[in-house]
Amino acid sequence: MASSAYRNGGVPRGALRAQPSGSNGRQSSSFKSRLAPSSSPGSAVRRSSPASLGGGGGGSFKNQDGVPGRVRVAIRLRPRNAEEMSADADFADCVELQPELKRLKLRKNNWDSDTYEFDEVLTEYASQKRVYEVVAKPVVESVLDGYNGTVMAYGQTGTGKTFTLGRLGEEDTADRGIMVRSMEDILVNVSPDTDSISVSYLQLYMEYIQDLLDPSNDNIHIVEDPKTGDVSLPGATHVEINDQQSFLELLRIGEAHRIAANTKLNTESSRSHALLMVHVKRLVTGGEDAPSIENGNSSHFIKPSKPLVRKSKLVIVDLAGSERIHKSGSEGHMLEEAKSINLSLSALGKCINALAENSSHVPVRDSKLTRLLRDSFGGTARTSLVVTIGPSPRHRGETTSTILFGQRAMKVENMLRIKEEFDYKSLSRKLEIQVDKLVAENERLQKDFEDEVERINLEAQNRISEVERNFADALEKEKLKCQMEYMESIKELEEKMVSNQRKHNRDGFFDDKHIEEGLASSVEEASDIKRQLNDEISRRKALEEEVNNLKSRLARCLQPKENGGGEVLRLHKDLEDEVCEKKRLEEEVIMLRSQLLQMTLDTDQPRYLDRGAYRDSFNGLNPLTSQDQNPHYRSNGNRQKASAATLSEQVGLQKILSLLESDDANVRIHAVKVVANLAAEEVNQERIVEAGGLTSLLMLLRRYEDETVRRVAAGAIANLAMNEANQELIMVQGGISLLSMTASNAEDPQTLRMVAGAIANLCGNDKLQQKLRTEGGIRALLGTVRCGHPDVLSQVARGIANFAKCESRLATQGIRTGRSFLIEDGALPWIVHNANDEAAPIRRHIELALCHLAQHEVNAKDMVSGGALWELVRISRDCSREDIRNLACKTLNSSQIFRAELRRLRVEY
């Protein structure tokens, strides 16, 4: 529109006065609503109910013909636009507003003016909200009560009619017009369950009624009810409205299809009359529901309520502006449009004149506009008219014509009626629902009776079955208890044998005398072993000298002599016997040294060994041993490593590795312990691998079923697996298959801990992900959790965290795609179950694993369905480590699936 934006402000609110003009069209007298003559009760389908009107002296009226109500007229002044500010700068406005008196003065010249009174006078500073409250809100309230209502804007082109009615307020919500604000109030006051709202949006262009919501429907016919005279448009599009946003979208569509043009008076002059029709259906309850009282007792019989439907219609009309051809500059087709607009407005003015003068004939059929507005002027609708004028003295003639139109409209009286219909369909549906409920209740009671009989028949069987299950469970528990007691007894005996200590007394203190005797016996035993070792060394030296003598004798005998062949064969045989004897003595020497090493450690720390739990005879497995927390065990392990290194230097690594294949079980066990202790030092790992130690350790896992050998060998492999180069060698030589086989066969928690630690170290290598999964490494790692030992669970959690971290890194680099191998192998349920474990190491590793898994979007759906999302939310809030907490928050924010699920569940994180 060419008019400038309206500013907030306006006159103080007050009671609206309905004052039609007098005989001269200038002064007004007070108006009071008149009571229509009473009549007999109407039909059961349509009736009237009382209404309170804002025009004139209001009151309650209850009759079948309706309630009288005058057309209310408000006048609104548009502020000067930029063109008027420059062209009319030296001239005063042609009108003077007196809003507190509801008056308007129209200046004829500098000394003379005419005064007019209206129901409301709105200055150029009146806000859109103020305009709505005084013009349209009473009509909207009547529509909600069941009456028809009309709000119409009339005035010269460019005076702000479309701004007043159809402004959407997209840039500034304060600019919302009457259409938008009316729908807001209607939506607030209706119930979406029982009420309905439908909207039609039309334009009258060149005497053709066109559908703004369906431009192809450009010639809609008017249909009149021959009995009631009601006007309807059956060909118009009706759109159900449920929310304000859909209504705004409908208005945008309609405004886009409405015809407008650029004239000298208005850059966006509407070339058609726009009609917005809002149909409201509201469900009300008729009749009295209160119980009757007879003889002081309340009766339980209640009259059934009769549902009623009130049908009302709100029509908002944005008339095209009247214009004079010589001022607007219309020509060609625009001239024809202007003629059609002026003819329809002239027909409307004639009808209003006839109604104001109580003429016996009202020419409503002269134009389609008057036929459409038949109910608004002189009909059954409550009507409010806002006439818009401009301040420019150049358009005094058009302003005068607009004011006189409003004065005549104030004389028109309507007879308001409510249209109510009994909703027999709704009543029928309610009765059908009640019948269905009673039938369903009967069927439910019958089914309950049958179920109760069946329950009684099955109860005895269930009790018998329960007793049998309880007996079987109790028997199984007793069996397991006996097995556990047996295992604990065996373990206690082993601890006593390893520690070589006597039982402590009831108060938990050692008897000093027994300790001294134990120390003395241990020292004596160590001395005997030392003496035996010295004797063996002496014998070895003697044998070496004898071997040297035999070698020299053999060399002399090899010289060609007659009849010397027999002597040579004898010497060869003696030499082979000596070599075998030497090998046997060397094995005995190594075994004795190992025993001496063990006895020396036992005698050094007898007290700690007696009080500690059962430990392995070696402590060289750095990533796996839990004894590192105890200073005694740490120092003890360091002494064993040093002793093992000394033994390796004295005997030779190759010799020790060769003893791994010894037929003597004791020699084999001591040799693998020495290798395990050597493997705990990084400096020895390369030597062990180069000497074939890794192959020998894997051979022990494959060949022997001795629990001690497998446990220590797995620990040594775990130590070697800390080196990346060794990890690839372990995989190439089939190490993961052997570890998986050992994990499935072992029952000892310490053996499972060693195996889990070895697999966990392999899980940290990016290059081995696919092969590790293919050869069953992940399933083997998860299989070790069956023992439930905390140390085993800690190693499993560490391996899963390493594997998830590698997968996340590969996915970030674009190398790895698809779901996580951990999820495919079924690790997610265990991860979620143990995510909040009491043990800090287990919990920390699993929290890291969850964060790394969640960084890959393809895993998000599985994690949501598996319950991992809740754990991520908990980690982001409650994790004690800040880095893990921040990683969880970052992961939740980066995943669209997680964000959508949290929004759906209304969870804040």
Side-chain angles (χ1 to χ4, degrees):
M1 300 293 293
S3 60
S4 61
Y6 286 77
R7 292 167 288 180
N8 291 334
V11 300
R13 297 183 182 177
L16 300 180
R17 295 180 296 173
Q19 298 172 340
S21 61
S23 60
N24 59 359
R26 298 175 185 176
Q27 301 296 328
S28 301
S29 61
S30 63
F31 170 82
K32 294 185 178 179
S33 299
R34 297 188 301 274
L35 181 65
S38 61
S39 62
S40 60
S43 65
V45 176
R46 183 173 299 175
R47 69 177 186 173
S48 299
S49 63
S52 177
L53 303 180
S60 261
F61 302 92
K62 186 173 184 180
N63 58 75
Q64 302 299 329
D65 291 337
V67 179
R70 179 179 57 79
V71 175
R72 299 179 53 78
V73 181
I75 189 165
R76 186 181 194 186
L77 177 64
R78 170 181 60 77
R80 287 193 177 192
N81 54 32
E83 180 185 355
E84 292 170 347
M85 287 182 180
S86 60
D88 302 334
D90 298 332
F91 300 93
D93 292 348
C94 67
V95 294
E96 179 185 350
L97 304 183
Q98 296 177 336
E100 64 278 0
L101 300 176
K102 305 285 175 47
R103 290 179 180 175
L104 175 146
K105 288 185 177 182
L106 177 63
R107 293 190 180 94
K108 293 182 178 180
N109 46 47
N110 291 337
W111 57 85
D112 191 13
S113 63
D114 292 333
T115 302
Y116 302 92
E117 292 187 2
F118 289 91
D119 294 311
E120 195 69 40
V121 176
L122 302 170
T123 68
E124 65 271 29
Y125 304 113
S127 66
Q128 292 281 75
K129 181 179 180 181
R130 171 67 177 164
V131 173
Y132 170 73
E133 289 178 347
V134 301
V135 174
K137 190 168 184 177
V139 177
V140 173
E141 291 175 349
S142 296
V143 170
L144 292 172
D145 290 336
Y147 298 93
N148 290 340
T150 302
V151 178
M152 187 169 65
Y154 178 89
Q156 182 189 6
T157 180
T159 55
K161 299 184 295 301
T162 302
F163 180 87
T164 300
L165 296 182
R167 189 75 170 184
L168 298 183
E170 294 177 333
E171 297 82 5
D172 186 359
T173 56
D175 290 342
R176 290 170 296 156
I178 289 177
M179 291 182 179
V180 178
R181 295 177 185 270
S182 299
M183 184 56 68
E184 289 177 353
D185 278 358
I186 292 174
L187 288 173
V188 168
N189 289 280
V190 300
S191 172
D193 297 329
T194 59
D195 306 336
S196 65
I197 305 170
S198 63
V199 171
S200 299
Y201 201 10
L202 311 170
Q203 70 174 356
L204 179 60
Y205 176 71
M206 300 286 287
E207 287 301 304
Y208 287 96
I209 301 176
Q210 300 176 354
D211 196 335
L212 291 175
L213 304 180
D214 183 10
S216 61
N217 190 9
D218 57 359
N219 188 13
I220 301 174
H221 297 286
I222 300 175
V223 178
E224 296 184 10
D225 190 336
K227 295 182 179 180
T228 63
D230 292 340
V231 176
S232 61
L233 300 170
T237 300
H238 291 263
V239 179
E240 295 289 336
I241 299 298
N242 297 316
D243 54 65
Q244 186 70 10
Q245 191 61 37
S246 61
F247 177 68
L248 291 175
E249 186 63 27
L250 181 144
L251 290 182
R252 293 190 191 96
I253 295 173
E255 289 299 323
H257 294 148
R258 190 176 178 188
I259 299 174
N262 184 5
T263 66
K264 292 181 179 180
L265 298 179
N266 191 352
T267 57
E268 294 183 6
S269 176
S270 300
R271 313 307 291 170
S272 64
H273 308 298
L275 295 91
L276 178 70
M277 297 183 178
V278 181
H279 301 269
V280 180
K281 288 184 180 181
R282 304 196 68 186
L283 180 66
V284 295
T285 302
E288 296 180 355
D289 295 339
S292 61
I293 300 177
E294 298 178 358
N295 300 326
N297 296 325
S298 176
S299 174
H300 294 284
F301 296 99
I302 300 176
K303 296 181 180 180
S305 61
K306 296 181 180 180
L308 300 176
V309 174
R310 286 181 179 175
K311 296 181 179 180
S312 57
K313 178 175 64 175
L314 172 64
V315 181
I316 301 177
V317 185
D318 181 12
L319 295 174
S322 61
E323 60 182 58
R324 294 185 178 179
I325 307 303
H326 69 279
K327 289 186 177 181
S328 64
S330 300
E331 58 184 11
H333 185 67
M334 290 177 58
L335 179 60
E336 297 299 323
E337 293 175 342
K339 290 179 181 179
S340 176
I341 292 172
N342 290 334
L343 285 174
S344 61
L345 293 177
S346 176
L348 178 61
K350 291 178 181 179
C351 290
I352 290 178
N353 287 338
L355 290 170
E357 296 172 359
N358 292 322
S359 174
S360 60
H361 172 68
V362 180
V364 293
R365 293 188 175 276
D366 288 355
S367 171
K368 288 186 177 180
L369 177 62
T370 56
R371 293 178 66 189
L372 290 172
L373 299 179
R374 181 175 181 177
D375 194 46
S376 302
F377 293 96
T380 62
R382 181 172 187 176
T383 302
S384 286
L385 173 66
V386 55
V387 293
T388 59
I389 59 175
S392 175
R394 291 180 296 160
H395 306 302
R396 182 179 286 106
E398 289 84 350
T399 302
T400 302
S401 175
T402 302
I403 292 173
L404 293 178
F405 179 88
Q407 289 288 300
R408 289 191 296 270
M410 290 177 66
K411 298 179 182 180
V412 178
E413 292 190 13
N414 296 343
M415 189 62 65
L416 312 184
R417 291 186 179 90
I418 292 179
K419 183 179 180 181
E420 289 184 347
E421 296 178 356
F422 287 123
D423 191 1
Y424 291 108
K425 293 183 179 180
S426 176
L427 182 60
S428 176
R429 285 195 300 269
K430 288 182 179 180
L431 294 176
E432 288 177 357
I433 292 173
Q434 292 180 2
V435 171
D436 292 340
K437 287 183 178 180
L438 292 175
V439 172
E441 180 69 15
N442 184 36
E443 293 179 352
R444 186 184 63 81
L445 293 175
Q446 182 66 25
K447 183 67 168 59
D448 290 343
F449 175 75
E450 295 176 356
D451 292 343
E452 182 69 16
V453 173
E454 185 178 358
R455 185 186 63 81
I456 294 174
N457 291 333
L458 294 177
E459 186 174 358
Q461 298 179 5
N462 293 336
R463 288 182 179 179
I464 294 174
S465 300
E466 184 178 359
V467 170
E468 291 178 350
R469 286 195 302 271
N470 292 338
F471 178 76
D473 293 342
L475 186 62
E476 184 67 21
K477 289 180 180 179
E478 188 66 24
K479 181 180 178 181
L480 293 175
K481 181 179 178 181
C482 294
Q483 291 178 353
M484 293 299 296
E485 290 177 354
Y486 173 76
M487 294 297 295
E488 289 177 359
S489 300
I490 296 299
K491 187 175 181 180
E492 289 177 0
L493 291 175
E494 290 179 352
E495 289 177 356
K496 291 179 182 179
M497 293 175 61
V498 172
S499 61
N500 288 325
Q501 298 296 322
R502 297 180 180 179
K503 295 181 180 179
H504 54 77
N505 55 13
R506 185 183 300 274
D507 296 330
F509 296 98
F510 290 103
D511 185 74
D512 295 338
K513 181 177 180 181
H514 291 172
I515 294 173
E516 293 177 359
E517 291 178 356
L519 290 173
S521 61
S522 298
V523 171
E524 290 177 359
E525 188 175 354
S527 300
D528 293 338
I529 293 176
K530 287 182 179 180
R531 286 194 296 272
Q532 293 178 11
L533 178 61
N534 293 330
D535 293 341
E536 291 294 334
I537 292 173
S538 301
R539 291 174 58 190
R540 178 181 177 183
K541 291 181 178 179
L543 290 173
E544 288 179 352
E545 293 177 356
E546 186 175 353
V547 169
N548 293 331
N549 293 331
L550 290 173
K551 287 182 178 179
S552 60
R553 289 173 58 189
L554 177 61
R556 290 194 300 270
C557 292
L558 288 177
Q559 296 177 1
K561 295 182 179 179
E562 291 184 0
N563 301 325
E567 184 67 17
V568 171
L569 293 176
R570 186 181 61 80
L571 290 175
H572 273 292
K573 184 177 180 181
D574 292 342
L575 183 59
E576 291 176 357
D577 294 340
E578 291 294 337
V579 170
C580 294
E581 182 66 18
K582 179 181 178 181
K583 183 177 181 181
R584 185 184 63 79
L585 292 174
E586 288 177 349
E587 291 178 354
E588 291 181 0
V589 168
I590 293 174
M591 184 179 68
L592 290 173
R593 285 184 176 178
S594 178
Q595 292 177 353
L596 176 61
L597 172 64
Q598 185 67 36
M599 292 300 299
T600 302
L601 294 174
D602 292 341
T603 55
D604 286 343
Q605 299 294 336
R607 294 178 184 268
Y608 293 104
L609 291 174
D610 192 357
R611 293 184 182 182
Y614 174 74
R615 304 289 180 179
D616 288 336
S617 58
F618 68 99
N619 295 307
L621 308 181
N622 289 339
L624 306 176
T625 56
S626 60
Q627 293 94 331
D628 289 348
Q629 298 175 359
N630 191 321
H632 159 64
Y633 286 110
R634 184 160 52 247
S635 60
N636 191 15
N638 292 334
R639 283 195 297 271
Q640 288 194 13
K641 296 173 186 176
S643 302
T646 304
L647 182 62
S648 174
E649 293 176 358
Q650 294 177 355
V651 179
L653 178 61
Q654 192 65 43
K655 187 64 177 178
I656 295 174
L657 294 177
S658 66
L659 295 180
L660 295 177
E661 302 178 3
S662 175
D663 296 334
D664 192 335
N666 292 329
V667 174
R668 190 166 56 248
I669 292 173
H670 284 288
V672 74
K673 288 182 179 180
V674 173
V675 173
N677 281 292
L678 289 174
E681 296 291 338
E682 188 175 356
V683 295
N684 299 327
Q685 291 179 0
E686 184 177 356
R687 295 173 50 229
I688 293 174
V689 174
E690 290 178 353
L694 177 60
T695 304
S696 300
L697 291 171
L698 294 174
M699 178 271 297
L700 291 177
L701 290 181
R702 182 184 297 109
R703 185 178 300 177
Y704 297 102
E705 298 182 357
D706 184 84
E707 192 70 26
T708 303
V709 173
R710 291 194 299 181
R711 179 176 67 251
V712 181
I717 294 172
N719 287 331
L720 293 176
M722 289 188 296
N723 187 292
E724 185 175 354
N726 296 340
Q727 292 172 357
E728 296 182 4
L729 290 176
I730 293 173
M731 295 298 293
V732 170
Q733 297 185 25
I736 190 63
S737 300
L738 294 174
L739 290 172
S740 300
M741 179 182 65
T742 304
S744 62
N745 296 332
E747 297 295 337
D748 180 51
Q750 297 302 325
T751 302
L752 294 174
R753 179 171 65 92
M754 300 297 180
V755 174
I759 298 176
N761 289 336
L762 295 175
C763 288
N765 193 322
D766 296 349
K767 302 176 183 178
L768 306 179
Q769 294 270 301
Q770 182 67 39
K771 190 171 183 181
L772 187 67
R773 191 256 181 150
T774 303
E775 296 186 8
I778 301 301
R779 289 190 174 89
L781 182 65
L782 294 174
T784 59
V785 303
R786 64 182 183 274
C787 70
H789 196 279
D791 290 343
V792 178
L793 299 182
S794 178
Q795 295 302 321
V796 174
R798 183 172 68 88
I800 290 175
N802 289 342
F803 198 91
K805 182 177 181 181
C806 291
E807 277 193 329
S808 177
R809 185 162 53 242
L810 293 176
T812 303
Q813 297 172 358
I815 300 174
R816 174 81 170 87
T817 58
R819 297 169 60 209
S820 169
F821 289 152
L822 292 173
I823 295 178
E824 291 182 355
D825 283 354
L828 186 59
W830 185 86
I831 294 174
V832 173
H833 179 72
N834 293 274
N836 199 17
D837 195 276
E838 295 180 356
I842 299 175
R843 185 175 63 255
R844 185 179 69 254
H845 287 312
I846 291 180
E847 288 173 348
L848 282 173
L850 281 174
C851 292
H852 288 306
L853 285 174
Q855 288 180 346
H856 198 18
E857 188 72 11
V858 74
N859 298 329
K861 291 184 178 179
D862 293 294
M863 297 187 71
V864 170
S865 61
L869 178 57
W870 295 108
E871 295 300 332
L872 283 172
V873 174
R874 180 191 60 78
I875 293 169
S876 66
R877 296 174 177 174
D878 304 334
C879 184
S880 58
R881 285 185 48 175
E882 184 177 0
D883 56 339
I884 300 178
R885 193 166 60 249
N886 293 337
L887 181 59
C889 292
K890 178 181 178 182
T891 303
L892 289 172
N893 290 326
S894 62
S895 173
Q896 296 181 357
I897 296 176
F898 288 159
R899 291 201 306 270
E901 182 67 12
L902 292 176
R903 283 197 301 269
R904 186 182 70 82
L905 299 174
R906 299 180 180 178
V907 176
E908 297 180 358
Y909 57 93

